[in-house]
Amino acid sequence: MKRYDLLLVSFVVCLFAGTLLSCTGKAKDESKTITVTIAPLAYLTEKIAGNNYRIETLVPNGSSPETYEPSPQQLVRLSNSKIYFYVGHLGFEQTWLQKMEQNAPNTTFSKTSEGIKNLTASHHHGDHVHEGIDPHVWTTPTNLKIMARNIAAGLSDTYPEDREVFTKNLKALEDSLDQTDHEIRHLLSGKEKRSFLIYHPTLSYFAHEYGLEQLVIEEDGKSPSPAHLQQLVRTSREKNVHTVFLQKEFDRRNAEVIARETQTQIVEINPLDYECIRELVQIAKTLSHEAESNH
Ligand SMILES: [Zn+2]
């Protein structure tokens, strides 16, 4: 009987210790926790920082970075992070940055889009119309490289002991982004001035970089009016559009109406995916293949 009790106690203790360990995760050292706004930033940061750091992403997969509200637990974890990497100009950040800074006085706030040539938002959308800057900067390899360099600089300031590792990892990431840019240009070569439809204007920078035209379904961040839809249908026919890109956070119905009227295909994309580089290549492949099927 006693022996059984002892076994049970040791089992419970192991379970408890196990839970503690798994809670602390990879980075046993609390000071090596880094917070970021969206998954593509987590991807860049993880590639540069390596495995000894723990990355917390504030906006979960499937939530809109324009309207997300952080949980109290997330705010506590942010205040325990030495550094927070944010995009700049995202609706979520516009609303929360000041409050988050007050709440986390020991955390360095680092804007990763510093140095990017901003595009102005051609439409008002969501609540990220502040300053008229289009916030979706992470959709080109060129911009991702600028963001990666900013992240590496921020990490080196915060953790100078690992500077060499960051520099080496940054170089590898830059090479991979150069390759991605090359691959996208190859896929889209000869297809300049091609137009595509999209629900929410996440691909402004991508379109600008590769000479494409983005036709936005959403109107002022809300469902489009019948007049706007009719105009889009006309424009899509004129411009021989083949694809409607749709992000899963947004309503499918209006995209379906346009796709039916113009006999275009709906393609689901997730530019907020952790694997942001793979996602960009996939978008280029879609635009590349649509042309082939047409000839
Ligand atoms: Zn957006």
Side-chain angles (χ1 to χ4, degrees), residues 197 232-234 236-237 241 244 257-264:
L197 283 156
L232 273 179
V233 168
R234 273 197 300 275
S236 307
R237 286 192 184 129
V241 168
V244 183
V257 169
I258 294 199
R260 210 169 35 239
E261 294 263 324
T262 54
Q263 291 171 330
T264 47

Side-chain angles (χ1 to χ4, degrees), residues 2-295:
K2 260 181 192 158
R3 198 189 165 124
Y4 173 77
D5 281 349
L6 204 68
L7 269 173
L8 188 72
V9 166
S10 55
F11 175 71
V12 169
V13 167
C14 283
L15 205 71
F16 182 64
T19 312
L20 272 183
L21 275 178
S22 66
C23 283
T24 51
K26 281 186 285 186
K28 288 164 189 98
D29 183 356
E30 265 285 307
S31 69
K32 292 199 164 182
T33 298
I34 300 159
T35 300
V36 302
T37 306
I38 52 171
L41 283 182
Y43 175 87
L44 298 177
T45 307
E46 201 154 286
K47 289 283 172 211
I48 298 165
N51 291 331
N52 291 327
Y53 291 82
R54 179 192 180 84
I55 323 285
E56 298 272 355
T57 307
L58 288 182
V59 181
N61 202 0
S63 295
S64 167
E66 273 88 53
T67 53
Y68 183 72
E69 303 207 344
S71 70
Q73 292 92 322
Q74 284 186 312
L75 293 177
V76 170
R77 284 203 294 272
L78 170 67
S79 68
N80 289 330
S81 301
K82 274 196 163 182
I83 188 158
Y84 169 48
F85 291 116
Y86 65 101
V87 179
H89 314 294
L90 273 175
F92 162 78
E93 296 168 345
Q94 300 279 359
T95 313
W96 282 91
L97 211 63
Q98 218 182 352
K99 279 175 244 177
M100 292 196 296
E101 267 178 309
Q102 284 163 1
N103 183 64
N106 301 317
T107 307
T108 302
F109 280 57
S110 176
K111 181 180 166 185
T112 57
S113 64
E114 204 62 63
I116 286 178
K117 200 171 174 295
N118 282 307
L119 295 175
T120 45
S122 50
H123 296 272
H124 286 235
H125 57 278
D127 45 10
H128 58 246
V129 289
H130 310 260
E131 303 163 64
I133 289 174
D134 191 310
H136 311 99
V137 290
W138 63 93
T139 56
T140 72
T142 308
N143 287 357
L144 287 171
K145 260 170 79 173
I146 296 172
M147 297 168 92
R149 285 187 206 126
N150 288 335
I151 290 169
L155 287 173
S156 296
D157 285 345
T158 308
Y159 306 101
E161 66 277 15
D162 283 339
R163 182 186 295 267
E164 270 177 45
V165 178
F166 302 148
T167 307
K168 191 175 131 262
N169 290 345
L170 172 65
K171 180 76 181 70
L173 180 58
E174 284 179 316
D175 287 349
S176 122
L177 284 164
D178 282 340
Q179 270 174 32
T180 306
D181 179 63
H182 192 77
E183 186 177 356
I184 294 173
R185 285 186 195 284
H186 181 71
L187 282 164
L188 296 174
S189 67
K191 295 170 181 84
E192 284 82 11
K193 292 288 167 221
R194 184 158 283 275
S195 308
F196 60 85
L197 283 156
I198 190 164
Y199 190 82
H200 181 78
T202 321
L203 294 180
S204 317
Y205 290 83
F206 183 87
H208 184 258
E209 176 95 15
Y210 299 110
L212 307 159
E213 185 185 17
Q214 170 179 258
L215 302 169
V216 183
I217 299 175
E218 192 182 64
E219 204 180 10
D220 293 338
K222 299 183 208 86
S223 282
S225 64
H228 181 62
L229 279 180
Q230 279 314 309
Q231 181 58 51
L232 273 179
V233 168
R234 273 197 300 275
T235 312
S236 307
R237 286 192 184 129
E238 272 166 33
K239 305 206 168 189
N240 202 19
V241 168
H242 288 79
T243 303
V244 183
F245 287 122
L246 180 67
Q247 298 99 315
K248 63 179 170 186
E249 309 89 270
F250 296 98
D251 179 58
R252 203 180 167 88
R253 275 170 311 163
N254 287 304
E256 276 169 351
V257 169
I258 294 199
R260 210 169 35 239
E261 294 263 324
T262 54
Q263 291 171 330
T264 47
Q265 54 166 349
I266 291 185
V267 177
E268 277 200 40
I269 57 169
N270 185 14
L272 284 165
D273 198 88
Y274 174 82
E275 293 287 346
C276 51
I277 296 182
R278 193 179 63 193
E279 193 69 21
L280 295 179
V281 172
Q282 206 49 48
I283 290 164
K285 278 185 179 160
T286 301
L287 293 170
S288 168
H289 293 158
E290 70 173 20
E292 277 163 24
S293 63
N294 193 33
H295 295 298

